[in-house]
Amino acid sequence: MPLDQSLTADVHETIIILPGGGIHAQGLLHEGPQPPEALIDGVCSPLRAAAARRGRPIRLSIVQPDGHVEHHHIAVDGTTHAVPMPPADTTTTDPLWTQGIPEDTGLLAPVRAAHRAGHWRAAQRAAHRATQHLAAQHGRDHPYAAMGVELQAYFALMNHDHTTGTLLSTEAAIAIHRLGGPPAQYRHHLANAAAAWLHSSRDIRPGGPGFAVAHALIRITPNDQGVLAALLRRLTKDRA
C-alpha cells in the first residue's frame, strides 16, 4: 500500500528490530551490513516527509529483540522525540459490546446449528456469511462486524486451522481495539493469535501472519514484553 494511503488510515507506525539482525517494517524485511539504527533511519525518511506534508506528527513504536517497546513521535519538522508509554485505555465501553449480535437478525441460527453438530468448518462459513451481512448493513467499522470476525476466529481455532485462526484472531483484536471494545476481549484474541501461530506451520514471510501478530502486539499491548520476545525469537529462529 502506498505510504500516504497507509498513513491516512493509521498514523501509528511500528518497527521490529530482529534478534538475528535486520528490521521489519511496513511488511518488508530490511537487512544489510548497516546497524539497525541506520536501517531504521532509512525507513523513517519517508515518514518524516509524510509528517511534514500532513502537518501532524506520526506515532512510531520500535520493539527491541528482548520485547521492550520504545515509543516516539516524528514531529512535523522531521525530528524524532521519545515519548512515555501511552496510558492504558480507561474509556467506558459501549454496552453494545456486551449485548452481542442481535438475535432478531436470524444470522446466528445457522452458526449455532453447526456448532451444536460440532461441524466447525460449516460454523466458520456460517459466521463468515453473517459477518458479510452485518458489514453490508452496518459498515465494516461497526462492532457487529467485529463480533462476526470473532466468531470466525473461534471456529477456525476449533477446527485446528491454526493459520486461518491466527489471521482472524489478529483481525478481530485490531478491530475491537480500533472500535473501542473491551480491552480484555482484544487481549484474549491477541493471545489466541500468538498461540495459534506457534502451533501452525509458522509462516515467516515478511507479509505473513507471524509478523502481523507481532506488529499488532506492539500497537495494542506493548507491555506484553515476554510474548513479544518469544515471538521474535521464533520468527528469527525459523528464518535461520
Side-chain angles (χ1 to χ4, degrees):
M1 179 181 289
L3 180 62
D4 285 344
Q5 290 183 24
S6 66
L7 292 178
T8 298
D10 186 2
V11 293
H12 187 181
E13 293 291 325
T14 53
I15 296 176
I16 294 172
I17 299 177
L18 296 170
I23 67 171
H24 185 274
Q26 297 181 338
L28 299 173
L29 281 175
H30 303 262
E31 299 175 292
Q34 306 100 315
E37 293 75 16
L39 296 171
I40 291 171
D41 188 63
V43 169
C44 287
S45 180
L47 296 177
R48 288 190 287 269
R53 285 195 303 273
R54 293 167 57 89
R56 57 187 293 192
I58 292 172
R59 292 173 61 196
L60 175 67
S61 295
I62 301 172
V63 64
Q64 298 290 333
D66 65 358
H68 174 69
V69 179
E70 301 169 352
H71 302 277
H72 306 268
H73 270 172
I74 299 177
V76 295
D77 64 1
T79 56
T80 301
H81 308 275
V83 295
M85 173 80 72
D89 188 2
T90 57
T91 57
T92 303
T93 302
D94 189 323
L96 193 66
W97 287 98
T98 59
Q99 295 167 7
I101 298 170
E103 293 289 341
D104 59 8
T105 63
L107 296 172
L108 296 180
V111 179
R112 290 204 175 100
H115 189 185
R116 286 192 298 269
H119 296 160
W120 309 124
R121 190 182 299 276
Q124 186 183 336
R125 287 197 296 265
H128 174 74
R129 289 193 295 271
T131 304
Q132 295 298 99
H133 180 89
L134 291 165
Q137 185 174 4
H138 301 280
R140 291 208 167 270
D141 287 332
H142 190 280
Y144 291 159
M147 293 174 197
V149 177
E150 286 187 278
L151 283 175
Q152 293 179 70
Y154 170 77
F155 291 119
L157 295 175
M158 291 298 292
N159 195 43
H160 300 291
D161 185 350
H162 299 300
T163 298
T164 303
T166 300
L167 292 167
L168 289 170
S169 295
T170 304
E171 182 182 346
I174 292 171
I176 295 165
H177 180 260
R178 186 181 71 250
L179 298 173
Q185 214 159 309
Y186 57 69
R187 291 191 188 105
H188 169 75
H189 289 294
L190 279 178
N192 281 350
W197 184 78
L198 289 171
H199 285 89
S200 71
S201 58
R202 293 198 293 270
D203 182 351
I204 59 169
R205 292 174 300 162
F211 280 109
V213 176
H215 284 280
L217 284 165
I218 298 166
R219 291 167 183 261
I220 298 174
T221 58
N223 284 322
D224 288 343
Q225 184 171 337
V227 176
L228 267 170
L231 196 57
L232 298 185
R233 282 196 300 270
R234 178 59 67 179
L235 282 164
T236 300
K237 178 181 178 181
D238 289 348
R239 285 173 56 228

